[in-house]
Amino acid sequence: MNNDLVIIRNMIRDESEAVAHYEDAANKVMNPILKKLLTDIKEEEMVHIGELKQALKELYGVVDKGKEAEGKMEANELIEKMKRAHAASHAID
């Protein structure tokens, strides 16, 4: 495999791990300002993943499909559940 491709794939893995770390930290902290900061950083890392995947596509014609469609569906389901739970918790307040 082309060394550039290995580097890009490793960077995607590293960025994905960073997303998980920031999300985990954001879920654990109590301070809402810190939670927002960590969430914003997590979202920036997600943008980096998109940029790297676009580079794979544009520079090398590689489309990282994998289980991306399945992941999108699962993420949408999870997000909807979280939105409903959040709305329900605010309705109680």
Side-chain angles (χ1 to χ4, degrees), residues 21-93:
H21 290 302
Y22 282 110
E23 184 169 19
D24 183 52
N27 289 331
K28 291 178 180 175
V29 300
M30 299 304 291
N31 184 302
I33 295 170
L34 180 56
K35 183 180 289 287
K36 173 73 170 121
L37 174 67
L38 294 171
T39 300
D40 287 350
I41 294 171
K42 176 194 80 168
E43 291 172 4
E44 289 175 27
E45 301 299 338
M46 293 170 70
V47 170
H48 297 162
I49 293 169
E51 290 171 326
L52 290 165
K53 285 186 174 187
Q54 188 64 22
L56 279 176
K57 179 181 174 187
E58 294 298 322
L59 300 175
Y60 301 101
V62 174
V63 178
D64 256 4
K65 289 184 182 175
K67 293 194 167 209
E68 200 166 295
E70 181 182 338
K72 284 181 183 178
M73 286 183 3
E74 288 180 17
N76 285 336
E77 289 171 9
L78 180 61
I79 290 167
E80 285 306 312
K81 286 179 187 176
M82 292 172 68
K83 284 180 180 177
R84 287 192 299 270
H86 182 72
S89 71
H90 283 289
I92 294 170
D93 295 341

